[in-house]
Structure formats: C-alpha cells, structure tokens
C-alpha cells in the first residue's frame, strides 16, 4: 500500500485534491 | 432491453468523459483545423519560440544546478528541463483526471482497492497515449490545453533522449486517427483499456473481466451505430491495444534511461509510483 500511496489517495478521495 | 442498457452505459461513460477531460477531440480538431476563429494556438517551433511560449505553459521555476551556471548553457539547459518538468506536472494532473474517469465506470469502485490501484498503474499511460492522439497530426501536437501547438520537427531537434520520446507517439497517433473515432467512442475504448483483466498482480480477475465484457459489448454496438460503413472497426480498435503496450514499455524504458543520464532530473512522485516496477 505504501508503494502506491498517491494512487490510493486519488482513488479514495473524491474531493480533496492530492498535492500534485 | 439489453441493447438499451448498453446504450445507457455508453451515454454514462461519455458524460463522465466530458466531465473529467477538459480538452475533447471535437475541440482539439476544431483548433487544429483553424475553426476556432481568432483563438489560434501559439506555435512553438524552436528554442526562441519555446522561451516565448513559456508564459502559456504553467512552468514551475526549477533551480539550475551549480555545474550549469555558465550563462549560455544555463539558458538552454533550463529551458529544456523546465519544459520537461511542466510536461510531468500536466501528466500528473492527467492521471488524476483518468482516475476520476475510472471511478465513474459502473462497478469499478466496488473492485478490490488493490486491484483498482493495479488497473490504474498499468492502464493510465496507455489511456494518456490514446488521449494524446486527437491532439496530434503529422506536423505536431497541441499542448497546454490546446493553447500551444508544438511542431514535430522541434521535438525531433531536442537533444537525446528527449528527441526520442514523442516520435513513436506521433507514428501511432497518425495511424490511430485514421480510425476516426469520436469522443463518445473514445470514452468506451478508454474504459475497456482500464478494465484489462491481464494486468500483473491482480487479485480477483473475474469481476474485472465481467465488467470489461459489458463495456466491450457496449463499444461494439456503439461502433456499429456510429460508424455503420467502417468495416471491422471494432476488431481494428482491439488490435491497437497490442501496439499500445509496446509503446508504454518503450516509454518507461526511456524514462528510466533519463533518470540515469540526467542527474538533475527529478521525476514527479506520482509518475514515479506508477512507473516503478512497471515493465
């Protein structure tokens, strides 16, 4: 899960934008 | 009733596509064919126009390393690398758009979360390459949401290995564009790519294959209705998926080479995540 942290975040958060 | 369901699915995916992807094929083709009135893209064809065009590109200023401080080297070096960095930022943003589109595919968010990650990891570059096709013609490509047209010759004139990055995408796109898909066809095709049950490391393949089968039926029906005179279009389109995998493999190898040779290049964390142990 740690290996794909940002992808996990993108999949789970529909509104809060990940800092791209 | 079954055909009605397949049409409803096509409509749903087309709506999601329009919602999440800001530059549609219809809009891109209008820009490329000069049908947008005064709204013509800025053309980048050499280093001078690249520097002038930077105001259009959302460039982040990156520090120039000590050993490139000599004035003329610094200038060229910074422009080329800054451009590459802005490509990375746009790609990361595009990954976010593709993720939102994937989540809108009925059943996708009900899949095992690890499988959702795997499908995105392996599918997203293929999707981005397909989405690049409408922005390209044989002479160049639109970038920066259609505000800029960058010539193919200019991209070929960059130093190695930067000059090798786009040429395979041009070759693919020129051929792909002859299929003349529209945005509603593209939406279904992208969903088919995302729902590939043969990605390495998937935990539960069956539900993915079931979802893909439904989207495939919907795509087949869509193409029959939307392109009644284009024979074997469905089969031709599926064959493109094989070419795509080779292009992605080569692309990832080039990025890995860049990482080794360009000591000052930093890869965007999201893209790094996607490309790590990919192929």
């Amino acid at each position: 899960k740690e290996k794909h942290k940002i992808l996990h975040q993108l999949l789970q958060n529909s509104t809060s934008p990940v800092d791209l | 009733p079954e055909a009605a369901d397949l049409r409803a699915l096509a409509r749903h995916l087309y709506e999601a596509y329009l919602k999440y992807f800001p530059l549609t094929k219809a809009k891109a083709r209008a820009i490329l064919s000069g049908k947008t009135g005064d709204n013509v893209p800025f053309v980048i064809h050499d280093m001078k126009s690249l520097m002038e065009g930077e105001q259009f590109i959302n460039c982040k200023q990156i520090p120039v390393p000590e050993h490139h401080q000599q004035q003329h080297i610094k200038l060229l070096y910074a422009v080329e690398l800054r451009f590459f960095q802005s490509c990375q930022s746009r790609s990361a943003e595009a990954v976010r758009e593709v993720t939102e589109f994937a989540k809108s595919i009925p059943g996708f968010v009900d899949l095992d979360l690890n499988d959702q990650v795997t499908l995105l990891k392996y599918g997203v570059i293929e999707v981005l390459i397909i989405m690049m096709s409408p922005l390209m013609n044989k002479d160049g490509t639109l970038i920066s949401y259609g505000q800029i047209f960058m010539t193919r010759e200019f991209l070929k004139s960059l130093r190695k290995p930067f000059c090798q990055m786009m040429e395979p995408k041009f070759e693919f796109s020129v051929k792909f564009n002859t299929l003349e898909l529209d945005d509603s066809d593209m939406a279904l095709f992208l969903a088919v790519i995302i729902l590939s049950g043969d990605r390495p490391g998937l935990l539960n393949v069956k539900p993915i294959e079931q979802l893909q089968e439904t989207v495939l039926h919907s795509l087949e029906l869509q193409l029959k209705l939307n392109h009644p005179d284009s024979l074997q279009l469905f089969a031709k389109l599926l064959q493109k998926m094989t070419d795509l995998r080779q292009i992605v493999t080569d692309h990832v190898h080039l990025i890995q080479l860049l990482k080794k040779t360009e000591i000052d290049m930093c890869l965007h964390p999201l893209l790094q995540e996607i490309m790590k142990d990919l192929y």
Side-chain angles (χ1 to χ4, degrees), chain B:
Chain B
E2 201 194 329
D5 289 346
L6 296 176
R7 297 307 291 148
L9 175 61
R11 273 195 304 276
H12 169 82
L13 289 174
Y14 180 41
E15 277 162 22
Y17 173 101
L18 294 176
K19 184 175 171 189
Y20 295 116
F21 302 133
L23 184 55
T24 58
K25 174 165 184 174
K27 200 173 156 195
R29 296 331 270 185
I31 299 172
L32 286 172
S33 56
K35 287 178 188 150
T36 46
D38 294 336
N39 198 10
V40 287
F42 180 86
V43 179
I44 292 179
H45 59 96
D46 57 11
M47 279 295 174
K48 188 170 167 277
S49 51
L50 175 63
M51 282 186 253
E52 287 164 3
E54 275 193 318
Q55 52 178 307
F56 292 95
I57 315 171
N58 187 20
C59 272
K60 282 183 189 152
Q61 293 291 321
I62 52 158
V64 179
E66 281 301 309
H67 52 278
H68 288 283
Q69 288 298 324
Q70 216 182 329
Q71 199 52 37
H72 67 284
I73 302 178
K74 182 177 151 185
L75 199 64
L76 282 181
Y77 178 89
V79 167
E80 213 163 39
L81 210 56
R82 265 212 308 276
F83 174 62
F84 187 71
Q85 299 292 85
S86 73
C87 289
Q88 287 201 57
S89 300
R90 175 64 191 112
S91 304
E93 176 57 24
V95 171
R96 195 191 57 76
E97 291 163 10
V98 174
T99 307
E100 290 306 316
F101 175 73
K103 281 152 74 175
S104 77
I105 303 171
F108 183 86
V109 292
D110 305 322
L111 298 170
D112 185 298
L113 185 59
N114 294 299
D115 284 349
Q116 294 180 41
V117 169
T118 303
L119 293 179
L120 274 176
K121 181 183 173 81
Y122 283 90
V124 79
I125 306 178
E126 293 179 15
V127 167
L128 295 186
I129 287 169
I130 289 295
M131 296 202 64
M132 227 184 256
S133 296
L135 314 183
M136 291 182 156
N137 61 25
K138 65 175 179 31
D139 301 317
T141 181
L142 290 172
I143 58 168
S144 198
Y145 301 98
Q147 296 179 93
I148 291 177
F149 182 78
M150 187 171 268
T151 67
R152 187 174 178 176
E153 282 305 313
F154 173 65
L155 285 159
K156 269 163 87 173
S157 76
L158 297 175
R159 66 184 161 88
K160 259 186 168 181
F162 292 102
C163 59
Q164 298 164 313
M165 293 196 75
M166 291 308 289
E167 199 49 29
K169 282 82 171 176
F170 277 110
E171 282 165 18
F172 173 81
S173 293
V174 168
K175 282 185 269 172
F176 185 77
N177 287 339
T178 63
L179 299 181
E180 296 188 316
L181 298 190
D182 69 16
D183 288 300
S184 54
D185 309 325
M186 293 274 281
L188 284 160
F189 184 49
L190 298 183
V192 167
I193 293 173
I194 293 168
L195 295 170
S196 297
D198 60 349
R199 304 298 192 190
L202 285 174
L203 302 171
N204 200 356
V205 169
K206 204 159 178 219
I208 299 166
E209 284 178 343
Q210 283 167 343
L211 289 179
Q212 194 196 41
E213 204 179 307
T214 309
V215 183
L216 277 168
H217 284 311
S218 182
L219 175 63
E220 190 174 17
L221 179 60
Q222 162 82 11
L223 296 178
K224 269 185 196 151
L225 296 171
N226 206 18
H227 305 263
D229 302 323
S230 186
L231 294 171
Q232 301 300 323
L233 181 57
F234 182 59
K236 285 179 192 165
L237 195 50
L238 296 189
Q239 281 170 11
K240 294 289 174 196
M241 292 171 76
T242 320
D243 304 342
L244 259 181
R245 292 205 180 184
Q246 190 55 49
I247 291 177
V248 172
T249 308
D250 296 344
H251 180 78
V252 173
H253 289 160
L254 258 181
I255 299 283
Q256 281 158 352
L257 179 73
L258 266 176
K259 255 175 78 182
K260 274 188 206 149
T261 55
E262 301 291 316
I263 44 171
D264 307 308
M265 194 196 80
C266 45
L267 201 55
H268 190 288
L270 176 56
L271 304 179
Q272 211 165 312
E273 227 182 76
I274 290 167
M275 291 189 200
K276 191 162 195 297
D277 309 318
L278 190 68
Y279 289 117

